[in-house]
Amino acid sequence: MKALENKILSDGVVLEGNVLKVGSFLNQQLDVDFIMEMGEEISRIYNNDGATKILTVESSGIPIAFAAGVKIGCPVVFAKKNKSANVSGDVFCSSVYSFTHKTTNNIIVAKEFLSSDDRVIIVDDFLANGKALIGLIDIVKQAGATLIGCTCAIEKGFQHGGDELRKQGIRVESLAIVEEMNSSGIYFRCN
Ligand code: 5GP
């Protein structure tokens, strides 16, 4: 999505440890019109795929997932992060290592919100090593639901999480793929 690449170039800040900061439009302040445009793009990607749910994980995935849900016309479910190892009864649960916080959390979704009848698109803000997507895919599998595909706003291609999932046959369509970033610039994967 060219507009997203331009936004990353104008507003993105490259931090230590391969972290890209996009606080001005996605991770702290929300550019609501632009987020709706990303939702529109996700709706275009999955046109006619019959999604019944968008699935994301709190917190930064929620705005884009919401925009996708509005444009596609289906509910948005967000997995909650839970530090405790004790997870009660009627939930799907998966363990996810957090790239940004360097901790492992359980992510949980109440069973009532995902079923084997669902056709699911997973949406998140960033894709790095793929751990968040792997956890969300695991939850879709536990529910017996059908995974249509995964879309992250910004994939960092040089961390290979997206390509590993593609190799497994999972549809991963990111809105922008950063191939390289350093103090002198941010460079995108050519399509
Ligand atoms: P992964 O699980 O693919 O390694 O990392 C994805 C998760 O880590 C996303 O949910 C996102 O919140 C966070 N993340 C990974 N890389 C970045 C980054 O460069 N910037 C920001 N703001 N978040 C990131």
Side-chain angles (χ1 to χ4, degrees), residues 18-20 27 99-100 124-132 156:
N18 283 333
V19 173
L20 177 62
N27 288 137
F99 174 81
T100 37
D124 202 2
D125 60 341
F126 273 88
L127 168 52
N129 297 311
K131 305 294 184 204
K156 291 180 293 176

Side-chain angles (χ1 to χ4, degrees), residues 1 35-47 49 54 64-65 67-69 71-72 121-124 150-153 171 173 175:
M1 186 181 175
I35 286 171
M36 292 314 289
E37 277 179 44
M38 289 198 274
E40 182 79 52
E41 182 65 18
I42 294 170
S43 157
R44 248 193 307 273
I45 291 170
Y46 297 102
N47 187 25
D49 284 332
I54 308 291
I64 312 170
K71 297 295 180 180
I72 290 170
I121 300 169
I122 294 175
V123 169
D124 202 2
C150 306
T151 288
C152 294
R171 182 176 175 193
E173 300 209 44
L175 301 185

